[in-house]
């Protein structure tokens, strides 16, 4: 399969990119983003594009792919709703609507989060929920991943220094966390592998928590 990856330089995206490059089922990966991935691989091609809110200049290069793995996203900490909505709802729908026009019926996997709910009073959960609902209305095979705690693997790192330190501290406790909270704990590697599985054969449901991701 041929895959487009958005957000390849983030922690989740790094894990997903690694999984795609290592999996024989994936024959080509197109990473689209503002920054280079720093990876070199025969299957990997990159498009540097500064404005992900307007993909018109590169739209001709996005057609003909089987799946899109959307790992773009920001933390809502300290962010006003208007800006968080722009970087969550607006950005994701810009990507999805473009791909729906180019490759209707293709698979679109979006990394959301545990607790997402369009009716929530919590800002991030409401915005994520509205994003999910808008994606499900598009002519795409949409799957929504809702992990809770995600342990970075194989060198995947957060761009936020505080998060990097937190993951280092938490790493020894990951096996315990997974046993105690199986529906909320996963890894970057398992998310990547699960995305490939979903693109290849679908999944029992459109909303997948960490337990469902790990099972895939």
């Amino acid at each position: 399969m041929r895959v487009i990856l958005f957000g390849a330089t983030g922690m989740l995206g790094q894990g997903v990119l690694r999984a795609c490059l290592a999996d024989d089922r994936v024959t080509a990966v197109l990473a689209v983003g503002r920054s280079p991935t720093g990876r070199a691989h025969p299957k990997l091609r990159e498009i540097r594009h500064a404005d992900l809110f307007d993909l018109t200049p590169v739209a001709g290069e996005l057609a003909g792919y089987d799946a899109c793995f959307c790992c773009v996203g920001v933390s809502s900490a300290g962010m006003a709703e208007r800006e968080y909505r722009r970087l969550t709802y607006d950005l994701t729908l810009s990507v999805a609507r473009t791909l729906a026009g180019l490759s209707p019926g293709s698979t679109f996997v979006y990394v959301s989060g545990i607790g997402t709910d369009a009716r929530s009073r919590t800002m991030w959960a409401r915005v994520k929920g509205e994003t999910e609902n808008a994606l499900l209305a598009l002519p795409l095979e949409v799957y929504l991943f809702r992990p809770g705690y995600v342990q970075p693997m194989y060198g995947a790192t957060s761009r936020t220094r505080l998060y990097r330190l937190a993951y280092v501290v938490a790493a020894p406790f990951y096996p315990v966390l997974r046993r105690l909270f199986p529906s909320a704990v996963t890894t970057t590697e398992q998310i990547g592998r699960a995305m490939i599985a979903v693109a290849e054969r679908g999944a029992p449901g459109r909303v997948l928590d960490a337990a469902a991701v790990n099972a895939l």
Side-chain angles (χ1 to χ4, degrees), residues 2 4 30 32 45-47 55-65 102:
R2 290 163 51 82
I4 299 177
L30 176 63
V32 184
R45 186 167 74 88
E46 299 189 41
I47 294 178
L55 295 171
T56 304
V58 298
E61 300 184 64
L62 306 181
Y65 284 82
L102 294 169

Side-chain angles (χ1 to χ4, degrees), residues 74-80 84 123-124 162-163:
V74 295
S75 169
S76 64
M79 188 173 292
Y84 183 72
M123 182 271 285
W124 75 263
L162 181 60
Y163 289 176

Side-chain angles (χ1 to χ4, degrees), residues 132-190:
E132 289 185 349
N133 291 343
L135 289 173
L136 289 169
L138 295 176
L140 295 166
E141 291 292 315
V142 173
Y143 293 92
L144 308 167
F145 281 25
R146 289 184 180 178
Y149 177 78
V150 180
Q151 181 64 38
M153 302 289 286
Y154 301 111
T157 57
S158 172
R159 286 176 289 189
T160 304
R161 183 174 181 273
L162 181 60
Y163 289 176
R164 289 198 301 271
L165 294 174
Y167 284 123
V168 170
V169 172
F173 303 101
Y174 169 73
V176 176
L177 291 173
R178 182 171 177 180
R179 285 197 298 271
L180 292 175
F181 308 104
S183 64
V185 177
T186 187
T187 71
T188 53
E189 182 75 6
Q190 288 170 310

